[in-house]
Amino acid sequence: EGAARAISDFLDAMGLPAEVRRSEALALTPTRVTQAWLGDLLDGYGRDPAAILADAIPSRKRDLVAVTGIDFHSVCPHHLLPSRGVAHVAYVPGDRIAGFGQLVQLVDALAHRFVLQEDLARAVADALVVHLGARGAACILDAEQLCMTVRGGKRPHARAHADAFVGAMARDEKLQRRFLRLVGRVARGK
């Protein structure tokens, strides 16, 4: 209720022409915006990465596990504008492996917050090491940042890239190259 009131106050403060502010199109906007923010853009605060990865299964697998092409969206804390892009996640298991759906849930839980893209990549990789017990992990993000494409520099085709490599994925260049090949960042045979 308070958020909807705040959105209504925000719309009032924008100095919109009276006929626009009183229009039917904006009548339910405070409620819709509140639902979008709480239900879609910031719902990650209600999700615990440790709980998402808690149901991992024991495994002796020690080879690279990767899921690529995970669509995600997040919100830039600087301008409160969304970003959307693709995440690529990999890890080297310790004693447990996570289901592929759990990796998608992990990305969503950490992305649906106020988060910088660079911090999101690190948070995903760190969560796999801390909460799954992975020996190493990596996350590569490729996204359109609306704060860069629709305001400021207004570069509609610009993409922001961030990556994080931790543990064995940070130390082992062979593992890094395997992952980078999977996401098309290194040519085959390199």
Side-chain angles (χ1 to χ4, degrees):
E1 219 175 277
R5 272 194 312 276
I7 297 299
S8 184
D9 290 345
F10 170 79
L11 290 170
D12 292 340
M14 288 293 101
L16 300 169
E19 66 275 8
V20 172
R21 181 59 185 104
R22 287 192 308 265
S23 71
E24 192 174 314
L26 289 179
L28 296 177
T29 296
T31 300
R32 287 190 297 262
V33 170
T34 298
Q35 289 170 346
W37 278 88
L38 295 177
D40 298 312
L41 296 172
L42 298 179
D43 61 319
Y45 289 110
R47 300 185 202 171
D48 178 14
I52 290 168
L53 297 172
D55 292 334
I57 58 174
S59 177
R60 293 179 188 231
K61 181 171 179 43
R62 297 290 184 257
D63 207 6
L64 185 69
V65 175
V67 177
T68 63
I70 302 168
D71 294 325
F72 77 93
H73 63 268
S74 62
V75 177
C76 169
H78 295 158
H79 302 102
L80 301 185
L81 291 173
S83 65
R84 53 185 232 167
V86 178
H88 310 288
V89 178
Y91 70 97
V92 179
D95 295 328
R96 302 180 313 141
I97 57 172
F100 298 134
Q102 288 172 292
L103 298 180
V104 172
Q105 290 175 43
L106 176 65
V107 169
D108 283 348
L110 295 170
H112 296 186
R113 301 172 182 211
F114 291 121
V115 63
L116 296 173
Q117 186 171 333
E118 305 91 311
D119 295 337
L120 175 58
R122 174 64 58 179
V124 170
D126 285 345
L128 289 167
V129 171
V130 171
H131 302 301
L132 182 62
R135 293 183 296 124
C139 179
I140 296 175
L141 304 174
D142 170 0
E144 174 191 10
Q145 298 283 337
L146 265 64
C147 57
M148 185 171 59
T149 62
V150 301
R151 66 162 307 280
K154 296 182 182 173
R155 298 297 186 255
H157 302 293
R159 302 291 291 186
H161 302 268
D163 61 54
F165 291 80
V166 298
M169 292 292 294
R171 295 185 302 269
D172 189 329
E173 288 184 30
K174 186 177 174 184
L175 281 171
Q176 289 175 22
R177 279 194 306 275
R178 283 181 62 197
F179 181 46
L180 293 170
R181 267 195 303 276
L182 288 173
V183 299
R185 297 265 177 106
V186 173
R188 293 261 180 230
K190 298 267 182 185

